[in-house]
Amino acid sequence: MSNPLRLDHYMARANGAYYATHDPFADFVTSPEISQMFGELLGAWAANCWQAMGSPGRVILAEAGPGRGTLMADALRLIARLAPGFAAAIEVWLIETSPLLRTEQARRVPRARFADDLGQLPVGPMILLGNEFLDALPIRQFRRTGAGWAERFVLDAAFIEIACENPGRDAQIGEIVEICEPAEAFVSAVAQRVVAQNGVALLIDYGPMQSAAGDSLQALRGGKPADPLIDPGQADLTAHVDFARLVQLAQNAGALAYGPLAQGSFLSRLGLYQRAQVLARGKEPKLAMKLIHEANRLADPTTMGSLFKVMAIAHPVLPMPAGFGA
């Protein structure tokens, strides 16, 4: 019999093996892969932020968890066309640890430099993008029992519970609460950096508007839901992001925090449907309808529009970023 492994340690090992050996996009499709409009709108958003920052002559444009590099490639293409001053000031950095994905990203974004984590980025003003980055970070799970609290460990493809101290959360007896320490550390570090060096960050992921108890750990294998405790390293493990908690941590670090806001509302305010109409103009009806369908998939509340949320972290003197105002 093996030794019990704390859930976050199990999840970190499983996802590390998965991303080192698998193409994750065989199992799921992210917003940048659905439509070029997603990356283009985020590129325009970044250009607007650069202007609000005073148009510094050198700025780091970074992406955490850049997937295949599609988002950054689409963003840079639009920036080069519409904001040449910003394009000239950009130093592109991709935060990625998977050698497999780095190869794919380098092909799509030849000018990119790579970092293993936020701490490896050079000093200076920064605009950071992160789409579906936080959900794959390892979580811990705690269940409140009649006798106190217990933490969940993994042993022989099953959960066991070991008594522990109060994790600092509130819950009813029988409920599970989740804590993602790497996500909390990442957001705190981002907030500290933008306060100290100027900048703004945009994080998009899935999770509830308010902190809530519940078991959200899930796995995708071959594009289908799977048991997260079976065959570790063969499936992508994710969990809901606690946006309300992350907003509070960013504020605690002295940054301004905005959101969470539904992805559909955010993209619509950035001009998603207007962009779709521009791209559809003069196209064959079938292609024009495809573009409208892509926009609906990104923004409609019945698809990704309400499931995914958006938050921003900004230097305290910067104005509200685009997309967050009425």
Side-chain angles (χ1 to χ4, degrees):
M1 178 178 291
S2 58
N3 295 321
L5 197 62
R6 208 171 72 183
L7 176 58
D8 58 332
H9 297 164
Y10 168 85
M11 188 174 173
R13 289 187 186 181
N15 274 351
Y18 174 79
Y19 282 99
T21 58
H22 290 71
D23 175 6
F25 301 97
D27 291 324
F28 58 84
V29 178
T30 62
S31 294
E33 303 295 331
I34 290 172
S35 173
Q36 70 183 68
M37 293 180 285
F38 186 82
E40 289 174 345
L41 290 175
L42 266 58
W45 183 90
N48 183 271
C49 290
W50 174 70
Q51 292 176 336
M53 292 163 61
S55 303
R58 172 184 170 272
V59 63
I60 295 161
L61 179 61
E63 184 181 357
R68 286 180 171 151
T70 305
L71 188 162
M72 184 61 79
D74 290 339
L76 290 173
R77 186 180 62 253
L78 181 132
I79 291 167
R81 188 171 75 248
L82 298 183
F86 181 36
I90 289 173
E91 230 181 70
V92 180
W93 284 82
L94 302 179
I95 301 174
E96 179 62 68
T97 58
S98 166
L100 189 69
L101 290 176
R102 279 191 178 191
T103 300
E104 189 75 9
Q105 292 154 10
R107 187 175 69 82
R108 285 182 168 83
V109 191
R111 65 185 289 188
R113 305 176 190 184
F114 290 93
D116 291 332
D117 53 46
L118 184 71
Q120 289 187 357
L121 298 182
V123 172
M126 177 187 72
I127 300 171
L128 173 78
L129 306 174
N131 180 64
E132 292 198 57
F133 168 69
L134 299 174
D135 65 275
L137 299 179
I139 61 166
R140 299 173 69 180
Q141 288 186 338
F142 302 85
R143 189 171 70 87
R144 187 176 179 185
T145 72
W149 287 89
E151 182 165 9
R152 300 183 95 181
F153 285 67
V154 178
L155 179 64
D156 298 332
F159 281 122
I160 65 169
E161 295 183 348
I162 298 177
C164 66
E165 299 295 321
N166 188 326
R169 299 289 194 274
D170 191 24
Q172 302 295 317
I173 291 177
E175 288 184 334
I176 290 173
V177 295
E178 297 176 339
I179 297 176
C180 185
E181 293 173 337
E184 294 187 0
F186 178 80
V187 166
S188 294
V190 167
Q192 291 166 10
R193 173 171 176 134
V194 301
V195 169
Q197 301 178 40
N198 198 9
V200 61
L202 186 74
L203 301 172
I204 305 175
D205 229 305
Y206 65 95
M209 287 285 191
Q210 301 296 330
S211 301
D215 180 357
S216 72
L217 180 66
Q218 54 194 292
L220 279 178
R221 182 183 297 112
K224 298 179 181 179
D227 187 331
L229 304 187
I230 300 296
D231 295 330
Q234 300 304 309
D236 176 51
L237 306 187
T238 63
H240 286 179
V241 175
D242 187 350
F243 282 100
R245 169 70 175 165
L246 299 182
V247 165
Q248 185 61 58
L249 289 172
Q251 292 172 338
N252 290 348
L256 295 179
Y258 302 92
L261 176 70
Q263 174 175 288
S265 298
F266 178 73
L267 295 178
S268 296
R269 293 172 183 178
L270 292 185
L272 172 65
Y273 288 102
Q274 292 90 332
R275 180 60 178 157
Q277 290 170 358
V278 168
L279 291 174
R281 193 174 299 146
K283 300 292 194 302
E284 296 180 359
K286 185 176 181 180
L287 181 54
M289 287 304 298
K290 178 178 180 291
L291 289 164
I292 300 302
H293 173 73
E294 290 172 355
N296 285 332
R297 187 172 175 188
L298 291 174
D300 193 283
T302 63
T303 52
M304 302 174 76
S306 62
L307 174 64
F308 284 81
K309 310 298 189 303
V310 185
M311 69 173 288
I313 305 167
H315 188 282
V317 304
L318 294 180
M320 178 182 291
F324 289 90

